[in-house]
Amino acid sequence: MSDSRLFRILYDLLEKGHATAPELADKFEVSVRTIYRDVEALSGAGIPIYAEQGRNGGLCLLPDFILDRAYISENERIELLTAIQSISATGYTLGNEIQTKLSALFNLRAENWLEVDFSRWGKSDSDNAKFELLKTAVTRHKEIRMVYQNTSGERSERIVQPLKLSYKSKEWYLKAFCLKKQDFRIFKLNRISGLELSEQTFEPGTYPEPESSPQQEYMHIVLLFAKEIAYRVYDEFDESEIKYQSGGKLLVDTRMPVDTWLSGYLLSFGTLVEVMEPEHLREHLAARAKAIYELYKT
């Protein structure tokens, strides 16, 4: 008998209210007889589980049943408190209150060993205010007005229906339905300005997550960095892509998205990076650098 399956059955009933034995058997890939043995084991452990007869019947828990803290191990309690502690860093205002209540319930003090701050240096107030407004829009299903700067340099006013906040690769993104484009879009939070919460509500849908990574063209690039910029190299590239060279230089073999962001990103390293491959990217950066020189030489 699997203890893990017993807890999964219990949590399934807590979440859905009831389920039939065949449904549980199919979900956990065991026989119906095994499910009934599991139910007997749960009942013997003091869990108020019972069977209802009739068309809409099935296995149920008493309506006022609350999962006792004894069913959660000490390690699981610590992990749960840590999770709540880290969520508070996103600007979730109830995080500290929930943490206090769970600490009291578990009779366990949360060790303050973890600190997470997603805001940028020097901009914590504006970043946190933006995050709080977007969180409100998502949870209350309210449209927002905003000005957005895209990677093509276009600045446009948008009205969107926010569905989800997503954190990926050191950046926050908003997944939403854009009324202007009449399609789902992903917006980088740092590029959003003029944010306003509308009183117009909407019926939230499901953001169509791709089955795999977004269909974006990636280019194979080989870069040679000077040792003086090593701190950025280790900040921004995976260790498996970096090879240490004689004299302290770093060779990076990677793949990067092909868009207007790429040349600006590489130019941000100045003379401390050399593009080794591909040749056409070397020529493109040389032309950009020459244009910058022409702009400033007078």
Side-chain angles (χ1 to χ4, degrees), residues 141-167:
H141 313 311
K142 290 193 173 184
E143 294 180 355
I144 56 172
R145 300 183 183 90
M146 67 182 190
V147 177
Y148 191 69
Q149 182 86 37
N150 67 16
T151 55
S152 300
E154 299 171 347
R155 185 177 173 87
S156 60
E157 294 185 359
R158 308 283 187 101
I159 298 177
V160 304
Q161 298 174 342
L163 301 173
K164 184 185 296 185
L165 285 166
S166 173
Y167 185 77

Side-chain angles (χ1 to χ4, degrees), residues 129-288:
K130 181 187 294 185
F131 187 93
E132 188 68 22
L133 190 149
L134 289 172
K135 183 196 73 176
T136 299
V138 171
T139 56
R140 297 184 181 178
H141 313 311
K142 290 193 173 184
E143 294 180 355
I144 56 172
R145 300 183 183 90
M146 67 182 190
V147 177
Y148 191 69
Q149 182 86 37
N150 67 16
T151 55
S152 300
E154 299 171 347
R155 185 177 173 87
S156 60
E157 294 185 359
R158 308 283 187 101
I159 298 177
V160 304
Q161 298 174 342
L163 301 173
K164 184 185 296 185
L165 285 166
S166 173
Y167 185 77
K168 183 176 179 61
S169 187
K170 304 179 184 178
E171 298 288 351
W172 278 106
Y173 297 88
L174 174 68
K175 295 183 175 182
F177 183 82
C178 179
L179 298 183
K180 180 179 180 179
K181 300 294 185 180
Q182 283 297 298
D183 199 1
F184 295 96
R185 289 289 190 271
I186 298 179
F187 302 97
K188 194 173 184 178
L189 260 61
N190 291 345
R191 298 177 188 158
I192 295 175
S193 61
L195 191 60
E196 294 181 9
L197 185 67
S198 170
E199 289 303 317
Q200 181 66 42
T201 59
F202 63 93
E203 187 67 29
T206 301
Y207 188 88
E209 302 290 352
E211 294 182 2
S212 57
S213 59
Q215 296 300 310
Q216 185 178 19
E217 185 180 355
Y218 279 73
M219 180 191 302
H220 175 239
I221 298 176
V222 180
L223 306 168
L224 184 64
F225 290 92
K227 63 180 180 180
E228 291 83 358
I229 204 70
Y231 67 94
R232 273 192 67 182
V233 176
Y234 283 104
D235 277 349
E236 300 175 28
F237 294 94
D238 189 83
E239 187 177 359
S240 63
E241 299 174 326
I242 305 170
K243 291 184 179 179
Y244 188 81
Q245 306 293 295
S246 61
K249 291 187 176 182
L250 300 168
L251 189 71
V252 173
D253 191 319
T254 186
R255 301 186 68 83
M256 304 186 77
V258 180
D259 56 24
T260 55
W261 165 86
L262 179 58
S263 58
Y265 172 74
L266 294 175
L267 286 170
S268 72
F269 291 94
T271 59
L272 298 177
V273 65
E274 180 183 357
V275 176
M276 309 303 291
E277 299 178 24
E279 182 63 29
H280 69 83
L281 182 57
R282 288 174 60 92
E283 296 171 356
H284 173 71
L285 286 182
R288 286 288 303 272

Side-chain angles (χ1 to χ4, degrees), residues 54-92:
R55 181 178 179 183
N56 297 319
L59 301 172
C60 308
L61 292 169
L62 287 179
D64 58 350
F65 172 71
I66 298 175
L67 186 61
D68 189 87
R69 69 183 187 186
Y71 296 111
I72 305 176
S73 71
E74 182 175 354
N75 284 339
E76 289 169 335
R77 298 175 206 173
I78 293 173
E79 292 296 329
L80 182 56
L81 288 173
T82 299
I84 296 297
Q85 184 179 353
S86 61
I87 287 173
S88 300
T90 66
Y92 182 53

